[in-house]
Amino acid sequence: MDRILSNKKYIFLFVFPAFLLFVTTIMIPIAYSGYLSTLDWNGYSEKVFIGFENYKNLFADFPEGFTIGVKNSLLLALLSIFIQVPIALILAIVISKGLKGEKFFRTVYFIPVIISTTVIGQLWLKVYQPKYGVLNYLLSAIGLDNLKQSWLASTETALACVFFVCVWQYIGYHMLLLYSAIKSIPKTILEAARVDGASNLQIARHITIPLIKPMIKVCVTFALIGSLKTFDLIYVLTKGGPVHSTEVPTTIMYRVLLSENNYGLGSAMAIFIVIECLLFTVFIQRGFKAEAHTY
């Protein structure tokens, strides 16, 4: 095997098909979107080159609600990093300690990940429904009728309701990644710490978390990118409304591309999202110091 892996011809033979697939399915579509973003084109009329005019329109808040969408996506990214990942980490640490019913809890927390996002959205529509929804029913049951309202129809509550579901859905995903990383830590290290009198909290703080930092970094990256390009759940719940209060760049891009047939402006939004994801990923890679450990 070492002889094969040291041969450049074999390396090229193994790598080239994946590279070709990456270029044709990722790089070429991005490059084509970059080209379209410099055009004034509705999909069937003559293409007119307008340079960076579409990008200028984005930062001038055209279409309406784009700046709100960018702020909302950044807020969701912060919530995912500072609420979603820490909750997943706590759950992973607790469950990995041989808790009774460990397999059951691990499966239950992961269920929202394997359910279709459209189905998740439909389920939460029933929860937030103002007349027969579970949330208003529970508020009535405990005597808080004054708090009942149309959760997804109010500009004051819609964003929080939507983001709660977005954060909740992928806690199990990050928990499973972190759980697998914790399980890969040799038991002898943890047993030695217990013999030295370390408490569970001290073991988690000084041994478990430092050793799984590479996986925490992966989770933070996934949470960030997933938040910046989130679309389906928000579209099912509110379609960006009411009054653009739950808009994110992808919901606006969908409307501009497929409803208004403005392919130039829509492509500019797509390129903006790609650049945004790449930049923040680079910041995380450089700012999050995590050393890989071997046992």
Side-chain angles (χ1 to χ4, degrees), residues 14-292:
F14 288 135
V15 172
F16 184 71
F19 175 74
L20 189 64
L21 185 66
F22 176 76
V23 170
T24 53
T25 59
I26 304 294
M27 298 308 295
I28 291 178
I30 290 177
Y32 186 62
S33 294
Y35 163 68
L36 291 180
S37 70
T38 61
L39 303 176
D40 180 11
W41 186 47
N42 60 13
Y44 46 85
S45 65
E46 185 179 353
K47 297 174 182 175
V48 178
F49 180 76
I50 58 172
F52 293 101
E53 195 63 31
N54 285 323
Y55 294 96
K56 293 179 183 176
N57 289 334
L58 291 183
F59 292 104
D61 200 25
F62 178 80
E64 186 182 357
F66 185 75
T67 53
I68 295 175
V70 173
K71 291 177 183 175
N72 287 343
S73 66
L74 293 175
L75 175 61
L76 179 59
L78 290 175
L79 292 174
S80 298
I81 292 172
F82 293 106
I83 294 180
Q84 186 182 68
V85 175
I87 291 176
L89 177 60
I90 293 171
L91 289 174
I93 291 173
V94 172
I95 293 175
S96 64
K97 289 189 176 301
L99 186 72
K100 187 177 181 181
E102 176 180 339
K103 189 175 181 180
F104 169 78
F105 288 112
R106 191 181 61 202
T107 305
V108 166
Y109 286 124
F110 193 68
I111 285 176
V113 182
I114 61 176
I115 298 178
S116 163
T117 303
T118 305
V119 174
I120 292 282
Q122 288 295 327
L123 292 174
W124 279 93
L125 281 174
K126 306 296 185 298
V127 173
Y128 291 133
Q129 216 284 336
K131 291 184 179 178
Y132 57 83
V134 176
L135 184 53
N136 279 347
Y137 175 79
L138 290 175
L139 289 173
S140 293
I142 59 177
L144 297 175
D145 291 84
N146 57 317
L147 296 181
K148 290 170 58 178
Q149 57 182 297
S150 300
W151 298 97
L152 296 176
S154 169
T155 55
E156 296 179 356
T157 57
L159 186 65
C161 292
V162 170
F163 281 5
F164 175 81
V165 183
C166 293
V167 171
W168 164 82
Q169 185 185 7
Y170 287 101
I171 286 177
Y173 175 72
H174 298 298
M175 183 216 70
L176 198 62
L177 292 176
L178 296 167
Y179 172 87
S180 62
I182 294 171
K183 282 296 186 182
S184 69
I185 299 174
K187 290 182 179 178
T188 51
I189 296 177
L190 304 177
E191 289 171 357
R194 290 194 182 94
V195 170
D196 289 339
S199 65
N200 288 331
L201 184 61
Q202 289 173 322
I203 292 174
R205 181 182 174 187
H206 297 292
I207 297 178
T208 304
I209 293 177
L211 290 180
I212 64 169
K213 265 189 177 181
M215 185 57 76
I216 295 176
K217 182 179 178 181
V218 170
C219 289
V220 169
T221 305
F222 283 174
L224 174 69
I225 295 174
S227 301
L228 295 178
K229 61 186 182 66
T230 187
F231 168 74
D232 40 9
L233 190 53
I234 294 176
Y235 190 78
V236 172
L237 287 172
T238 62
K239 292 183 172 61
V243 200
H244 303 299
S245 61
T246 61
E247 292 277 24
V248 288
T250 49
T251 56
I252 303 171
M253 181 183 71
Y254 179 84
R255 186 181 71 240
V256 169
L257 271 173
L258 301 181
S259 299
E260 301 173 8
N261 292 328
N262 192 336
Y263 286 85
L265 190 59
S267 298
M269 292 182 191
I271 294 299
F272 174 83
I273 295 169
V274 170
I275 294 173
E276 190 182 28
C277 289
L278 289 174
L279 284 177
F280 280 107
T281 301
V282 170
F283 289 150
I284 289 176
Q285 296 298 321
R286 293 192 173 183
F288 202 116
K289 295 180 181 178
E291 298 177 358

